[in-house]
């Protein structure tokens, strides 16, 4: 990379890059059109804005009670099935957890397998993904399916035949770098993130040319300005220039080199502003005492120019993280009224328990409110500085190493993890799958060795005091910053939501239920128990004029580690396993696709 | 870090390292058949440290409290058979069991001071679990003498 490039030269270099790329930027306007077609589901979050909303209304709040299974398909893989299927024309595509099989299923023939792609990967990648070996889906663009393999290989497959067109290696699993996030295609580029924050990797977002697999740019989460693709004068944080060397001078020594800030969540895009939005994960290690400073730009919302990668604005939600509150959750782009004013908003439900409403054109902070009342580690977010006001009792940094800080809410899992929320332009509400879990957290000294776990904390997780449930499914008003309705769930809701013009919202539960609720009130209208717990994301499409709902079951992921680990005994609670323990009474592992419809 | 130079020499060196780093020997679990002290559910500092270190690294595959899972075996059971020397050999060198129906991969921790510097303590904790003298969850610590 351009690590030695002087910041003063950067603007000129980026300018040249823009000249070069602008001539070839129209290769894939196809996708911009396709994402508006409700009959298909062409990207994991439904559209570039990340709405997970469909204008379809054949299945609606009056007839959803008649929903029935149309067909099912076993993926042949255990482990956690996050993500969900795409539908392009008459074909459904999806990927599995390790070994990352990709299936193309024929919707004209009840899901007959058109092709199956199974990469050969070194099994040594399994323990550096531990646990779980999830994959959040494939991307489509320009007649190709793009797969992010666990071992960081990005593969382009011919959508018709499943034949490999090209592949490129994005990182080194030997250093703990892996891939779990779904890629995103914009114009002539495909974008991928990184995983491995628990191994001291340095996160980045990378753009590849979709025709050749050639790397176009890479923007790191921390390091010199030229590595981050950040202009000290022009890139802003809450309206102010970030200043020189912000990604190194907020770290002690060269700790930024192993600084984490991985990019394993979702990417969204505004074609008018030509900005790509995503969040960065926790700074490494989990022991905050070992890494003084704000640790910029971990835990940060990034808005980058999609062509050049240049950061337009950033906002760090959790400076100097002390709780593992990764900022990777999806950035939903919604044009809504915020406090009476029409706004091009970005709405983000962070792990740290605050829901942020921002002006996505310039990164101005408009609303920051708790979306679970039990959140206690900070009293509020200072709207001038953007900084959370940390409560000393729950500060694992202030309490120090070798001290077990108790009763922190939310737990490291966050009030919400990567499971994407939904926005209905019809109701104006956001529908959010959430966790309702608290924790004890004890940090201690840890040494960095490349490719070895770099954690430095033990956690215990359990329900909030007095609570008898571990999750909620809520409707949220992003202008007022208030919960509109909230449905308690026995377990965390770890499934991506779907809202439709039929005034129904769909989501899955860890016990395995697909549920449909009334978008206005949250009243349950339908439930069906699928073969395994659902941590996948619900989608919808039409085939031959008929609306279908599809979801992957397959318990696992962080929430399901207890189940993936096959435990049966009960306990007061240790890590995710303790809190989710009783799940064993409801469901077992196993990947299955279930497709629903009404007659 | 202080222990790095001696780590590649694996097990014996790591043990030496913990001592040479100037930590009071009494604060660590003892060797032998019962390398732990458990009194009224409370444990010595070494065994507690073993609990902590286990639950920051090993538990992601071997499960909480050493109970194992489909990723990796139950260590509370394994240590009924495995001797300390075998245990430390596997931790340092790793092992693989990859076939059509199984994908178990134990990484080698020989170069990881977060494991090897604390391997006695981790062993003591798991041995206490294996011997059935320590229950599940975060144990209380005995008062320092």
């Amino acid at each position: 990379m351009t690590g030695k490039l002087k910041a003063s030269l950067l603007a000129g270099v980026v300018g040249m890059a823009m000249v070069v790329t602008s001539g070839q930027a129209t290769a894939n306007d196809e996708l911009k059109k396709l994402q508006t077609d409700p009959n298909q589901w062409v990207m994991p979050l439904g559209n570039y804005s990340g709405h997970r909303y469909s204008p379809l209304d054949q299945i609606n709040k009056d007839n959803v009670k008649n929903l029935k299974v149309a067909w099912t398909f076993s993926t042949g893989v255990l482990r956690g099935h996050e993500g969900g299927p795409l539908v392009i024309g008459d074909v459904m595509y999806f990927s599995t957890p390790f070994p990352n099989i990709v299936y193309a299923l024929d919707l004209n023939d009840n899901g007959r397998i058109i092709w199956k792609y199974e990469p050969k990967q070194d099994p040594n990648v399994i323990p550096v993904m531990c646990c779980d070996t999830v994959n959040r889906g494939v991307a489509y663009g320009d007649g190709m399916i793009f797969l992010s393999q666990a071992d960081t290989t990005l593969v382009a497959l011919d959508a018709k035949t499943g034949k490999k067109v090209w592949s490129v290696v994005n990182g080194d699993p030997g250093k703990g770098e892996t891939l779990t996030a779904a890629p995103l295609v914009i114009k002539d580029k495909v974008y991928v993130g990184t995983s491995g924050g628990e191994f001291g990797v340095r996160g980045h977002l990378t753009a590849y040319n979709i025709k050749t697999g050639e790397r176009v740019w890479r923007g790191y989460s921390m390091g010199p300005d030229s590595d981050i693709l950040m202009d000290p004068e022009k890139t802003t944080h809450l309206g102010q220039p970030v200043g020189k060397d912000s990604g190194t001078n907020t770290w002690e020594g060269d700790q930024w080199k192993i600084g984490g800030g991985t990019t394993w969540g979702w990417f969204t895009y505004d074609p008018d502003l030509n900005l790509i939005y995503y969040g960065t994960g926790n700074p490494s290690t989990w022991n905050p005492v070992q890494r003084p400073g704000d640790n910029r730009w971990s835990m940060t919302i990034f808005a980058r120019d999609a062509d050049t990668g240049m950061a337009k604005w950033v906002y760090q939600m959790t400076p100097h993280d002390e709780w593992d509150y990764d900022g990777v959750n999806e950035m939903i782009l919604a044009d809504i009224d915020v406090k009476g004013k029409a706004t091009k908003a970005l709405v983000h439900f962070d792990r740290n328990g605050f829901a942020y409403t921002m002006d996505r054109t310039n990164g101005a902070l408009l609303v920051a409110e708790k979306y679970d009342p039990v959140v206690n580690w900070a009293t509020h977010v200072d709207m001038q500085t953007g900084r959370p006001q940390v409560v000393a009792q729950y500060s694992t940094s202030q309490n120090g190493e070798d001290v077990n800080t108790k009763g922190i809410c939310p737990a490291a899992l966050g009030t919400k993890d990567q499971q994407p929320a939904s926005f209905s332009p019809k109701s104006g509400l956001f529908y959010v799958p959430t966790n309702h879990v608290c924790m004890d957290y004890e940090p201690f000294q840890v040494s960095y060795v490349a490719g070895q776990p770099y954690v430095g904390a033990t956690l215990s997780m359990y329900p909030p005091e007095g609570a008898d449930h571990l999750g909620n499914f809520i409707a949220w008003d992003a202008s007022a910053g208030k919960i509109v309705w909230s449905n308690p769930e026995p377990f965390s809701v770890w499934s991506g939501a779907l809202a439709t013009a039929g005034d129904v919202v769909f989501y899955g539960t860890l016990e395995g239920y697909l549920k449909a609720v009334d978008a206005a009130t949250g009243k349950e209208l339908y439930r069906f128990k699928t073969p395994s717990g659902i941590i996948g994301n619900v989608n919808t499409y039409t085939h031959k004029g008929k609306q279908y709902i599809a979801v992957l079951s397959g318990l696992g992921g962080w929430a399901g580690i207890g189940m993936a680990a096959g435990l049966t005994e009960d306990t007061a609670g240790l890590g995710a396993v303790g809190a989710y323990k009783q799940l064993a009474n409801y469901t077992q592992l196993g990947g299955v696709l279930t497709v629903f419809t009404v007659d | 870090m202080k222990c790095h130079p001696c780590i590649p020499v694996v097990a014996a060196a790591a043990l030496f390292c913990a001592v040479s780093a100037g930590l009071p020997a009494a604060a660590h679990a003892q060797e032998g058949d019962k390398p732990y002290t458990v009194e009224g559910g409370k444990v010595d500092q070494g065994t507690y440290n073993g609990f902590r270190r286990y639950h920051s690294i090993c538990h992601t595959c071997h499960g909480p409290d050493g109970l194992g899972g489909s990723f990796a075996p139950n260590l509370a059971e394994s240590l009924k058979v495995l001797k300390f020397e075998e245990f430390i050999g596997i931790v340092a060198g790793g092992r693989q069991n990859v076939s059509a129906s199984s994908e178990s991969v134990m990484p080698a921790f020989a170069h990881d001071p977060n494991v090897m510097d604390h391997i006695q303590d981790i062993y003591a904790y798991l041995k206490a679990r294996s011997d059935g003298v320590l229950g599940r969850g975060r144990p209380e610590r005995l008062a320092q003498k």
Side-chain angles (χ1 to χ4, degrees), chain A residues 319-455:
Chain A
H320 184 64
D321 171 60
E322 313 169 38
W323 312 270
D324 187 38
Y325 294 151
D326 290 49
V328 302
N329 295 352
E330 74 287 358
M331 311 296 161
I332 303 173
L333 314 181
D335 296 344
I336 52 174
D337 276 3
V338 179
K339 302 190 187 300
K341 192 179 158 206
T343 306
K344 281 178 175 289
L346 175 155
V347 176
H348 170 74
F349 300 90
D350 198 58
R351 280 254 288 265
N352 73 14
F354 287 89
Y356 298 87
T357 305
M358 306 189 72
D359 180 332
R360 71 174 180 270
T361 64
N362 58 17
L365 180 60
L366 307 174
V367 178
E369 296 291 341
K370 297 174 180 178
Y371 62 103
D372 183 345
V374 301
V375 172
N376 65 10
W377 67 278
T379 54
H380 65 285
V381 173
D382 182 308
M383 297 304 283
Q384 253 48 66
T385 64
R387 295 184 82 92
Q389 302 303 295
V390 176
V391 176
Q393 180 190 349
Y394 302 115
S395 167
T396 72
S397 195
Q398 293 174 46
N399 292 338
E401 290 175 344
D402 305 319
V403 174
N404 186 28
T405 298
K406 293 183 179 174
I408 306 161
C409 306
L413 301 154
T415 301
K416 177 175 126 18
D417 200 82
Q418 58 75 33
Q419 60 275 33
S422 167
F423 166 65
S424 166
K426 192 175 173 189
S427 72
L429 296 177
F430 293 78
Y431 300 97
V432 193
T434 74
N435 307 316
H436 192 54
V437 185
C438 302
M439 69 173 170
D440 298 349
Y441 191 114
E442 179 180 345
F444 49 80
Q445 279 288 322
V446 65
S447 307
Y448 174 75
V449 179
Q452 299 288 351
Y454 187 52
V455 181

Side-chain angles (χ1 to χ4, degrees), chain A residues 465-533:
Chain A
E465 205 175 334
D468 59 357
H469 62 287
L470 293 167
N472 294 296
F473 189 79
I474 68 168
W476 178 258
D477 176 335
S479 170
K482 285 199 161 60
I483 294 170
V484 178
W485 52 256
S486 178
N487 288 354
E489 283 285 347
F491 299 101
S492 288
V493 189
W494 207 271
S495 153
L498 167 75
T500 73
D503 302 320
V504 192
V505 183
F506 297 91
Y507 65 96
T509 73
L510 284 184
E511 309 105 293
Y513 290 109
L514 176 82
K515 291 191 177 181
V517 300
D518 186 314
T521 64
K523 183 179 174 237
E524 185 176 313
L525 304 171
Y526 173 82
R527 67 162 73 185
F528 177 83
K529 193 160 181 203
T530 65
S532 181

